[in-house]
């Protein structure tokens, strides 16, 4: 059994297998009466970009918010492949609207008084304890970006999003990587088998010595 489990672990490591996290659903209505249903966005074949933040322009987060705003327009202002949603657990209608005006964006923002699922429950479901943070969710409901830190520039964030989307569409392993991993897997299996044979021979030798 231990041998079998060891081989399974080796297979997982060699092929880069990891559990994919399914994004928790949520449904809210923003201050303008717009329905914000995560799975509805994904079912429309769009990637959902969640920006967890504090609507404050007077500290370092203002820099991040400017990057988010520029990235939002780069992806077509929710009309193309990526749909942006702001999640501000400490915000309210006034601060959320001020923030939207400051950065000239109009994507929906969920705050502590938004109708629907509680914003703090949404943050807890996504493990968003330290703000600002971002998540990118694919149409198949898997989280493909769990954070980008630090966010150095608009081009940096766009590059991260583009790379994650491309990897999700094409798969994370190409043929060359599969062949390389298969070779490494075989080497690891051979090494494990050698160690197992050595242990087995040692045990048998000890048994024979005890019988003498």
């Amino acid at each position: 059994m231990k041998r079998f489990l060891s081989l399974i672990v080796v297979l997982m490591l060699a092929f880069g297998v990891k559990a994919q996290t399914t994004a928790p659903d949520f449904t809210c209505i923003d201050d303008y009466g717009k329905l914000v249903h995560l799975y509805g966005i994904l079912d429309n074949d769009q990637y959902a970009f969640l920006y967890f933040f504090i609507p404050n322009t007077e500290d370092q987060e203002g820099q991040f918010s400017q990057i988010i705003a520029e990235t939002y327009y780069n992806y077509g202002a929710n009309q193309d492949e990526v749909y942006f949603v702001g999640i501000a657990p400490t915000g309210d209608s006034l601060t959320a609207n001020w923030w939207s005006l400051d950065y000239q964006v109009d994507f929906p923002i969920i705050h502590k008084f938004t109708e629907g699922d509680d914003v703090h429950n949404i943050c807890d479901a996504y493990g968003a304890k330290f703000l600002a943070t971002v998540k990118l969710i694919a149409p198949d409901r898997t989280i493909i970006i769990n954070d980008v830190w630090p966010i150095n520039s608009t081009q940096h964030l766009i590059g991260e999003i583009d790379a994650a989307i491309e990897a999700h569409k094409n798969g994370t392993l190409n043929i060359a990587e599969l062949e390389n991993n298969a070779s490494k897997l075989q080497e690891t299996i051979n090494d494990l088998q050698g160690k197992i044979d050595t242990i087995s021979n040692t045990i048998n030798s000890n048994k024979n010595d005890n019988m003498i």
Side-chain angles (χ1 to χ4, degrees):
M1 176 61 72
K2 290 183 179 179
R3 177 179 176 183
F4 174 75
L5 292 175
S6 296
L7 290 177
I8 292 296
V9 170
V10 172
L11 283 166
M12 293 178 69
L13 292 175
F15 284 95
V17 176
K18 59 182 179 181
Q20 289 186 319
T21 304
T22 300
D25 193 17
F26 59 81
T27 302
C28 299
I29 298 176
D30 74 2
D31 289 338
Y32 299 95
K34 184 177 181 61
L35 178 68
V36 185
H37 177 212
L38 176 64
Y39 282 6
I41 295 168
L42 304 179
D43 289 343
N44 195 38
D45 204 30
Q46 288 179 292
Y47 289 80
F49 183 93
L50 307 184
Y51 178 41
F52 295 83
F53 73 109
I54 299 171
N56 183 350
T57 60
E58 297 178 357
D59 56 18
Q60 189 181 24
E61 193 161 324
Q63 174 188 348
F64 302 147
S65 293
Q66 184 61 45
I67 291 172
I68 295 297
E70 293 171 358
T71 304
Y72 168 63
Y73 284 108
N74 177 79
Y75 287 103
N78 283 1
Q79 299 304 307
D80 294 331
E81 192 170 33
V82 182
Y83 192 100
F84 284 63
V85 177
I87 301 177
T90 64
D92 53 30
S93 297
L94 185 61
T95 56
N97 288 334
W98 277 351
W99 184 88
S100 296
L101 290 173
D102 282 340
Y103 294 99
Q104 299 181 358
V105 297
D106 56 1
F107 57 74
I109 297 176
I110 298 168
H111 53 72
K112 60 185 177 182
F113 297 121
T114 301
E115 181 181 348
D117 290 327
D118 182 77
V119 67
H120 296 100
N121 291 340
I122 296 172
C123 290
D124 289 344
Y126 282 90
K129 299 183 182 300
F130 302 100
L131 308 180
T133 188
V134 301
K135 314 284 181 182
L136 184 65
I137 304 164
D140 63 5
R141 303 179 183 182
T142 58
I143 300 174
I144 60 174
I145 288 181
N146 202 39
D147 191 18
V148 178
W149 183 265
I151 303 175
N152 296 320
S153 67
T154 301
Q155 287 306 313
H156 170 222
L157 182 56
I158 291 172
E160 293 283 347
I161 295 173
D162 285 348
I165 291 176
E166 182 178 2
H168 177 260
K169 288 181 176 179
N170 298 333
T172 57
L173 295 176
N174 59 34
I175 297 301
E177 289 172 326
L178 286 172
E179 291 176 348
N180 182 53
N181 285 339
S183 176
K184 291 180 179 179
L185 172 62
Q186 187 60 55
E187 292 175 2
T188 305
I189 290 175
N190 292 341
D191 181 63
L192 277 175
Q193 187 61 57
K195 292 178 179 179
I196 291 171
D197 290 341
T198 299
I199 294 172
S200 179
N201 291 335
T202 300
I203 293 174
N204 290 333
S205 177
N206 290 337
K207 286 183 178 179
N208 292 334
D209 290 342
N210 293 331
M211 293 177 63
I212 296 175

